[in-house]
Amino acid sequence: MLIVIAALFFLGITSISYQQGVFSSFVFMGLAILLFFNKEKRFITSLLLSSLIGFVIFMVSNNLIETMTISKEIKIILNRLSLVFIIIGLVFNYLFFNKKVFWYNKKPDWKNPIVLPFHKINTFWFWMIGIVINAIIYLFFIVQKDVEYIQSLLLFCLFFSLINAVFEEVIWRGILLSALKEFTSTGYAIIVTSIGFGLLHLAIGFSIFLSLLISVAGVIYALITLKTNSIYPSIVFHIVINIGMVYSGFII
């Protein structure tokens, strides 16, 4: 049953991203039926359904933003701020079920290592190496830009990177990861939040291949969050990635 719930959730994100109203309606109907008949997984089904409803509102708000006569940079910032609708949907679901919202908002604990198939690595160094490698990769693109270009995007880059990283991490590695881990399993929580995180990028024009590639980053963020019991390292990692994406031309 959990596989069906996850599949409908992924289909929902995809169909809403491509603004396929009829198909999205069938997805909502499927989740609603599971919500009614499957009492054991009602909270999880409702949580994912609530996030999809928030995502619909997010898409509607951004269609409205696109009609505004404002700069592209401000439209993108407003687009990222609209992620708050997904957060509101998730929080509302918690309140409806009278549960306390938990989103790993604690000081990082770096003592737990990440265990790979044939190696064990300190989580702090795993996190640091990941940041450095990505910074070097993006630096290759950034050094090809002139100084004026870099300066002109500085404020936009800072606002976008911070807002996008905080909101996306609160949604995926915060509220959803903690809930799915508590009520299902760690593996299921990582897979659903990572693939969902990747697919959400379809809404901003990324290809399905690139969106699924971003899901790999979601797995890394999830591992770091779970090992440190904190969302803040993944937010910092995410900010670095966002800065690189802005200056390498992936965002604007």
Side-chain angles (χ1 to χ4, degrees):
M1 187 58 69
L2 285 173
I3 295 175
V4 175
I5 295 171
L8 287 172
F9 180 57
F10 299 150
L11 287 172
I13 295 174
T14 305
S15 60
I16 293 168
S17 296
Y18 289 127
Q19 301 188 45
Q20 299 296 313
V22 175
F23 194 86
S24 298
S25 298
F26 282 112
V27 171
F28 277 96
M29 287 174 57
L31 287 172
I33 291 171
L34 291 177
L35 186 66
F36 183 78
F37 287 105
N38 188 7
K39 293 182 180 181
E40 184 182 351
K41 302 300 179 185
R42 182 164 289 172
F43 174 72
I44 292 301
T45 306
S46 179
L47 189 72
L48 297 182
L49 182 59
S50 296
S51 68
L52 289 180
I53 292 172
F55 186 37
V56 169
I57 300 172
F58 165 86
M59 291 295 293
V60 171
S61 69
N62 280 289
N63 287 337
L64 179 62
I65 291 168
E66 285 300 315
T67 65
M68 297 179 180
T69 53
I70 53 179
S71 67
K72 185 176 181 180
E73 289 88 347
I74 294 178
K75 284 183 179 180
I76 293 173
I77 294 297
L78 290 176
N79 174 285
R80 296 296 86 191
L81 285 171
S82 297
L83 287 169
V84 73
F85 291 119
I86 301 177
I87 296 174
I88 290 172
L90 294 171
V91 172
F92 177 81
N93 189 78
Y94 264 88
L95 295 175
F96 181 81
F97 282 90
N98 196 29
K99 296 181 182 294
K100 184 179 179 180
V101 179
F102 177 66
W103 49 282
Y104 294 108
N105 56 324
K106 296 181 178 181
K107 181 180 178 181
D109 178 3
W110 298 101
K111 291 184 295 184
N112 299 314
I114 291 177
V115 181
L116 302 174
F118 302 102
H119 184 62
K120 184 167 66 174
I121 184 170
N122 180 279
T123 303
F124 175 81
W125 287 113
F126 178 85
W127 173 74
M128 183 59 71
I129 291 169
I131 288 177
V132 171
I133 289 174
N134 279 277
I136 292 172
I137 292 171
Y138 283 115
L139 192 62
F140 173 78
F141 295 98
I142 295 171
V143 294
Q144 299 179 47
K145 312 291 183 182
D146 56 57
V147 177
E148 289 184 3
Y149 174 82
I150 293 174
Q151 290 177 338
S152 67
L153 285 179
L154 182 59
L155 282 178
F156 167 76
C157 180
L158 293 176
F159 277 111
F160 169 83
S161 300
L162 181 61
I163 293 168
N164 187 61
V166 171
F167 280 28
E168 287 194 340
E169 291 306 309
V170 168
I171 291 168
W172 297 106
R173 261 65 62 180
I175 301 173
L176 280 173
L177 183 66
S178 63
L180 292 173
K181 180 178 181 295
E182 180 180 357
F183 294 99
T184 58
S185 67
T186 301
Y188 185 85
I190 293 174
I191 291 171
V192 171
T193 55
S194 299
I195 295 177
F197 165 66
L199 291 177
L200 199 74
H201 290 75
L202 293 171
I204 55 176
F206 284 29
S207 68
I208 186 69
F209 173 77
L210 186 54
S211 295
L212 290 176
L213 192 61
I214 291 172
S215 296
V216 178
V219 173
I220 294 172
Y221 295 151
L223 286 174
I224 293 171
T225 299
L226 292 172
K227 288 298 180 180
T228 62
N229 199 35
S230 173
I231 198 175
Y232 299 115
S234 65
I235 288 176
V236 173
F237 201 151
H238 204 148
I239 288 173
V240 172
I241 298 294
N242 285 337
I243 291 172
M245 292 185 75
V246 169
Y247 279 123
S248 58
F250 281 102
I251 304 299
I252 192 170

